[in-house]
Amino acid sequence: MQHILSGAGVFASARVLSAQEMDMSHGMKGTKSKRKGGMKESDHPHGAPVLVETPDVPDLPFRMDGKVKEFHLIAEPVKQEIVPGRVVDLWGYNGSAPGPTIQVSRGDRVRIIVDNHLPEATSMHWHGFEIPNDMDGAPGLSQDPIAPGGRFVYEFTLDQEGTYFYHSHMAMQEMMGMIGAFIMHPKESYKPRVDKDFAIVLQEYAVLPNIDVPNSMNMEFNWLTLNGKSGPANTPLIVRQGERVRIRLINLGMDHHPIHLHGHQFVVTGTEGGRQPESTWGPGNTVLVGVAQARDVEFVANNPGDWMLHCHLPHHMMNQMSSMVGPMSRRNGMSAGLDMERGMGMLRQGSATAEENGPSLGRGMGVGSTSEQTMSNSPLKAGSPMQNQDRSGTKHEDMQGMQMGKPDVAKDANAVPGFPQDAFMEGPMMAMDKMVDKPENFGLRPGWSGFMAGMMTFVRVLPQEQYDQIIELRKKHESNKPLKMDMPGMEHQHE
Ligand SMILES: [Cu+2]
């Protein structure tokens, strides 16, 4: 509860600030600036940059202390619902993993108060920042780690622009979620100017059976997230047909992610080091975002429709991966040569991080087979016992949402070596349209959610009429959400 209370405090101060800044700023929520009503084109020859939107992640509010922009970050445990019903114990900032997005403008003097509400020491590193060494947040080297209950105040002037990020510089804490986007805007927008600007943080977790805490020592991962959500729980990117769009991708995990966009070619316009000269831009539709890297891509959304945006590693397009495919699932069960625990070095009792045991060194996820009992998911069919059960096998009649339609399977499917692969993992059985219903998903094809999993979201390139419809729905929906941040000299995305 602590994070909710502290978050409310920060929001309250931001709200007061927004009122004070009304004359400096150009519009509050409800009177959101539009191209005609806000800052005029003549004020900025290139136009003011638009604020970055981080779907499913809040912005970090700030208050002005004289000429200093002051932010307040709280490192703390976070309960993060990565898909409906799957709540994972992560560590993050201000109630979110990834932490809230920070946005500043080039030349800003910035103060960031970091409070440590974790049970162990942490550090805060500003990735790629050209700042004095004693502000770098390298534990041991440039400062003492921030003790549990402790605070460290960072302050620096930022003479940079681009997609940066902040993260704990303790390696295991990084694998618990401790990162957030830090956007440094140019004073005037780049040419060509973008109409929509999005940030997406790529993360991965290994959540072993019977526990909600990721095993940060694992080398393989079964939950892949974009902004703390796995498909189909992500909020899609909503753009108007013809708009120029920037997507800023940030990766902090153990894997590199080739992020692929359907239906369009893009150019890579920036890295974690800032803007790239236009002479380096070449067309592509997949960008490899390596660990500790950021990549900005830009494209003109001229092709209407719903277009997938996803990591192209096949295992990164799945949720809760386990050994439930292949021959095992089409016979009446089969024994593994070794039980999973011994085979993989996993523990026989408790969880990998239980009190009575040390951590497992198991490399594989290996979920689902033991030598003691044969294991099978066959015959799986619509209405099978899997329906409406939680992980303990308890039935929940009130657990609405999973559609559990019949998978499309040939009569002789079991005679085909390799079957099944996706038959019980994708499609009607996995569809949960209602569970992930939100304004941004309005009008999608029924059953769409059954094919979205892992590090996968989509860009909706919408003709004016459909676009307006979704923005209307979103406004109604947002009326009971916290206020959006305003920033002097910045524009909200045009609606
Ligand atoms: Cu990936």
Side-chain angles (χ1 to χ4, degrees):
M1 277 283 111
Q2 197 167 26
H3 68 263
I4 293 169
L5 290 172
S6 54
V10 173
F11 267 120
S13 60
R15 208 165 295 195
V16 172
L17 173 81
S18 296
Q20 288 168 346
E21 284 192 337
M22 264 299 272
D23 50 343
M24 293 158 66
S25 181
H26 48 86
M28 299 270 293
K29 184 180 162 58
T31 57
K32 233 176 260 171
S33 60
K34 300 205 162 48
R35 201 170 284 223
K36 49 182 187 309
M39 201 160 280
K40 290 182 205 90
E41 294 287 342
S42 54
D43 296 338
H44 290 281
H46 303 176
V50 294
L51 277 169
V52 164
E53 188 184 320
T54 315
D56 302 310
V57 172
D59 277 314
L60 187 64
F62 62 90
R63 58 172 222 103
M64 294 302 293
D65 178 15
K67 289 186 171 174
V68 182
K69 263 182 197 165
E70 186 178 279
F71 296 89
H72 192 178
L73 277 174
I74 298 160
E76 60 186 354
V78 168
K79 295 228 181 259
Q80 180 85 23
E81 189 172 49
I82 51 181
V83 293
R86 192 69 175 105
V87 179
V88 180
D89 284 300
L90 303 180
W91 288 5
Y93 301 96
N94 301 42
S96 179
T101 296
I102 296 176
Q103 305 195 44
V104 303
S105 295
R106 179 168 203 149
D108 278 351
R109 180 77 180 169
V110 174
R111 179 183 305 134
I112 302 150
I113 301 164
V114 177
D115 281 329
N116 181 9
H117 291 183
L118 294 171
E120 62 181 39
T122 188
S123 79
M124 185 65 97
H125 173 57
W126 313 98
H127 195 99
F129 290 34
E130 296 163 5
I131 49 179
N133 185 249
D134 58 354
M135 293 288 113
D136 188 49
L141 197 58
S142 68
Q143 69 168 82
D144 290 336
I146 310 169
R151 165 179 286 192
F152 195 95
V153 179
Y154 296 88
E155 189 168 324
F156 34 72
T157 302
L158 291 168
D159 194 22
Q160 289 172 269
E161 347 176 317
T163 304
Y164 296 86
F165 43 103
Y166 62 90
H167 65 83
S168 161
H169 211 284
M170 320 286 263
M172 305 301 266
Q173 293 179 1
E174 291 173 15
M175 293 312 296
M176 290 291 284
M178 300 189 70
I179 180 180
F182 197 119
I183 310 298
M184 300 186 208
H185 292 279
K187 285 189 170 153
E188 290 182 346
S189 74
Y190 299 114
K191 276 181 174 177
R193 192 175 190 275
V194 295
D195 304 290
K196 294 281 193 297
D197 200 337
F198 298 98
I200 297 179
V201 179
L202 318 172
Q203 292 171 290
E204 52 195 357
Y205 302 105
V207 190
L208 294 166
N210 304 320
I211 189 166
D212 297 328
V213 183
N215 184 357
S216 51
M217 275 173 83
N218 243 74
M219 299 290 280
E220 288 181 358
F221 306 91
N222 60 345
W223 285 102
L224 289 296
T225 60
L226 301 169
N227 289 340
K229 301 276 185 196
S230 295
N234 303 88
T235 301
L237 280 48
I238 304 295
V239 308
R240 191 194 277 116
Q241 189 180 345
E243 285 186 319
R244 188 175 179 88
V245 180
R246 179 184 297 127
I247 303 175
R248 305 164 184 258
L249 303 154
I250 296 167
N251 179 14
L252 192 65
M254 290 286 294
D255 288 310
H256 314 294
H257 302 289
I259 303 294
H260 175 58
L261 173 66
H262 290 209
H264 297 81
Q265 310 309 323
F266 56 57
V267 287
V268 178
T269 58
T271 72
E272 69 283 352
R275 185 81 167 175
Q276 301 298 291
E278 196 166 339
S279 57
T280 67
W281 300 358
N285 48 55
T286 308
V287 61
L288 185 61
V289 190
V291 173
Q293 292 186 331
R295 290 289 178 271
D296 295 352
V297 301
E298 290 181 21
F299 61 98
V300 178
N302 53 13
N303 197 357
D306 302 318
W307 302 104
M308 284 182 174
L309 175 70
H310 63 97
C311 174
H312 222 298
L313 291 189
H315 285 194
H316 291 186
M317 295 188 264
M318 301 178 194
N319 287 339
Q320 185 71 304
M321 282 170 289
S322 62
S323 311
M324 300 292 265
V325 295
M328 187 182 77
S329 57
R330 67 192 154 86
R331 298 178 193 163
N332 287 324
M334 65 189 294
S335 308
L338 264 183
D339 63 80
M340 164 183 76
E341 292 87 350
R342 279 178 294 178
M344 294 296 182
M346 287 172 67
L347 296 164
R348 298 179 67 82
Q349 286 135 16
S351 66
T353 53
E355 296 277 320
E356 64 271 23
N357 294 309
S360 156
L361 291 171
R363 183 179 157 82
M365 300 306 303
V367 185
S369 76
T370 77
S371 62
E372 288 89 21
Q373 64 177 59
T374 55
M375 177 70 192
S376 172
N377 59 11
S378 176
L380 265 182
K381 56 177 186 280
S384 77
M386 252 179 90
Q387 188 168 9
N388 293 344
Q389 283 185 0
D390 66 17
R391 286 173 299 127
S392 66
T394 315
K395 277 205 174 191
H396 295 282
E397 296 304 331
D398 56 341
M399 216 173 126
Q400 301 294 318
M402 291 291 277
Q403 286 161 227
M404 304 304 283
K406 209 175 173 199
D408 211 358
V409 167
K411 276 208 177 92
D412 61 346
N414 279 331
V416 179
F419 173 83
Q421 293 300 325
D422 293 76
F424 300 110
M425 293 185 67
E426 283 187 68
M429 289 198 61
M430 294 296 157
M432 50 173 90
D433 296 6
K434 278 200 184 124
M435 292 170 95
V436 294
D437 190 34
K438 61 186 83 165
E440 291 83 356
N441 290 339
F442 177 76
L444 290 169
R445 301 176 80 243
W448 67 275
S449 60
F451 293 90
M452 287 276 160
M455 206 172 257
M456 181 179 270
T457 184
F458 51 103
V459 182
R460 306 195 69 184
V461 180
L462 301 166
Q464 189 70 50
E465 198 178 321
Q466 279 169 270
Y467 179 87
D468 291 343
Q469 211 170 6
I470 285 182
I471 297 302
E472 255 329 287
L473 284 170
R474 189 194 250 174
K475 275 180 188 158
K476 276 182 206 160
H477 191 78
E478 271 179 356
S479 56
N480 48 15
K481 278 189 178 175
L483 285 174
K484 260 193 189 170
M485 186 187 69
D486 280 296
M487 231 173 101
M490 301 291 300
E491 276 196 41
H492 282 288
Q493 302 187 351
H494 307 302
E495 288 177 355

